[in-house]
Amino acid sequence: MTTTPSPTATRQHTVADSPYGPLTLVATDGVLAGLYMTGQRHRPPEETFGEPDPRPFTEAVHQLDAYFAGELRTFDLPLRLDGTPFQRSVWAQLQLIPYGETRSYGELAENLGKPGASRAVGLANGKNPVGIIVPCHRVIGASGSLTGYGGGLDRKQRLLAFENGTEDATPALF
């Protein structure tokens, strides 16, 4: 069962600048429920983002700015992650991957007690609604290769390099 916002849920959005292009943040009933990059795969239609209103995003933008400045390694924000129970379990595992480290899809499947589910983990990873904060960019292929990323492999490579201290978070064109 996928959880979705109720028809009476209040949704707002704002756009924040980042070194990886504009980030659209979406809140449901005042809680961060989405962070989407320009051109992101599985990006919901803009008309679902609600009214523009920066107020629910003050702390999220503050923490993102600190992250991109290299001052924050772990986000501490309330999140509303709407998805199936399996997707939510994968997204919970993503939040356990330390800054600057990676895990393979297979390792995440093992951690979930489902060793044959690496493809399902990959699909759930790709549907992560709150990229960067829920660090799906830290998941790689079993061989160490950079595999799919909803925000594009170039962004994934840059985010990993940034976290490893081999690239600063200077703006790039996306």
Side-chain angles (χ1 to χ4, degrees), residues 7 34 36 41 48 53 69-70 72 76 82 92 94 100 104 109 112-114 127 129 135 147 159 163 167 171 173:
Y36 304 104
R41 193 173 6 140
T48 67
D53 184 352
L72 180 78
D76 183 20
D82 293 325
L94 297 177
S104 72
L112 291 168
K114 299 180 182 288
K127 297 272 186 149
T147 58
L159 282 163
E163 289 189 2
E167 178 182 306
L173 299 176

Side-chain angles (χ1 to χ4, degrees), residues 96-121:
L96 300 177
I97 304 172
Y99 179 96
E101 294 185 22
T102 58
R103 299 290 183 272
S104 72
Y105 298 100
E107 287 174 307
L108 291 178
E110 288 280 342
N111 291 346
L112 291 168
K114 299 180 182 288
S118 59
R119 284 192 179 162
V121 165

Side-chain angles (χ1 to χ4, degrees), residues 73 97-103 135-140 160 163:
R73 292 177 172 229
I97 304 172
Y99 179 96
E101 294 185 22
T102 58
R103 299 290 183 272
C136 52
H137 62 278
R138 295 179 187 156
V139 183
I140 58 173
L160 291 173
E163 289 189 2

Side-chain angles (χ1 to χ4, degrees), residues 115-170:
S118 59
R119 284 192 179 162
V121 165
L123 291 171
N125 192 52
K127 297 272 186 149
N128 171 19
V130 185
I132 299 174
I133 292 171
V134 176
C136 52
H137 62 278
R138 295 179 187 156
V139 183
I140 58 173
S143 67
S145 61
L146 296 186
T147 58
Y149 182 60
L153 287 180
D154 182 58
R155 282 190 183 113
K156 181 174 188 163
Q157 182 177 18
R158 288 190 63 224
L159 282 163
L160 291 173
F162 167 67
E163 289 189 2
N164 285 308
T166 56
E167 178 182 306
D168 65 9
T170 54

Side-chain angles (χ1 to χ4, degrees), residues 1-54:
M1 174 175 87
T2 300
T3 60
T4 55
S6 76
T8 60
T10 303
R11 297 195 34 108
Q12 302 102 354
H13 78 279
T14 195
V15 178
D17 290 328
S18 88
Y20 305 95
L23 302 175
T24 300
L25 287 82
V26 178
T28 301
D29 293 331
V31 179
L32 186 64
L35 185 154
Y36 304 104
M37 299 175 188
T38 304
Q40 180 172 334
R41 193 173 6 140
H42 305 299
R43 180 183 169 113
E46 303 261 337
E47 59 269 13
T48 67
F49 293 165
E51 295 298 316
D53 184 352

